[in-house]
Amino acid sequence: EDKVVQSPLSLVVHEGDTVTLNCSYEVTNFRSLLWYKQEKKAPTFLFMLTSSGIEKKSGRLSSILDKKELFSILNITATQTGDSAVYLCAVFMDSNYQLIWGAGTKLIIKP
Amino acid sequence: DAGVTQSPTHLIKTRGQQVTLRCSPKSGHDTVSWYQQALGQGPQFIFQYYEEEERQRGNFPDRFSGHQFPNYSSELNVNALLLGDSALYLCASSWDIQETQYFGPGTRLLVL
């Protein structure tokens, strides 16, 4: 069965800390892995990763994919209270054009 | 450039009733996917519409049905509502089979 597993499920850190969120997957016909941030309702797109070992960066956020070990990490440096959200990982499958989602990591940044 | 829009934002229904949720995709997008997100869970894929036809379907009963119109907007219908249907319903649009999907604000459905 295709699955995406995120860890930890929740994380509480202080402003300024660096966090690493994990996403592992077991799917058939992998095409890409996507990270989204969900604050209130709509998930907003962060990164899409297709190639192993190539880091994607956007400001304080970065992500990398390991297609051999079947996982991805999302790093956030110098965290701010505005980074508090649920971070969702999803894998896109070529066989049926579906996104399979993890349960998310709830990140809380304390001032 | 309008993003994905959904209506209504909130809805309260009772068991056994029927509900219709609406979605307009982002400009230039032709594919609409619907998801159900229970509290504390990731989105669960319901189905996807492309060229006015259901292209893919997740593991949801036939009580869940949909439609896509020529202007690419879409509806999600749920019949015979159950308490367990209470969730956030998200619509996402994309261009054909491209991976990156853009989400609407969702409809929060509460079934009493």
Side-chain angles (χ1 to χ4, degrees), chain A residues 14-19 60 76-81 83 109:
Chain A
H14 286 96
E15 229 175 353
D17 288 350
T18 293
V19 298
R60 297 175 294 103
I76 308 175
T77 59
T79 52
Q80 303 170 357
T81 54
D83 296 327
I109 311 295

Side-chain angles (χ1 to χ4, degrees), chain A residues 31-32 34 36 38 40-45 48 50 86 88 92 94-104, chain B residues 9-10 35 37 40-43 45 48 55-58 88 90 97-106 108:
Chain A
R31 184 200 282 190
S32 57
L34 295 87
Y36 283 80
Q38 187 174 27
K40 296 276 187 188
K41 283 189 174 181
T44 53
F45 172 75
M48 183 176 74
T50 55
V86 174
L88 293 162
F92 190 88
D94 247 337
S95 53
N96 55 16
Y97 315 131
Q98 282 188 35
L99 281 173
I100 303 295
W101 295 81
Chain B
T9 55
H10 295 84
Y35 295 90
Q37 188 177 25
Q41 302 288 322
F45 176 73
Q48 183 181 83
R55 177 159 65 184
Q56 290 291 338
R57 189 180 183 91
L88 178 66
L90 293 164
I97 58 170
Q98 288 201 359
E99 304 96 307
T100 308
Q101 297 183 3
Y102 293 85
F103 284 82
R108 177 78 63 187

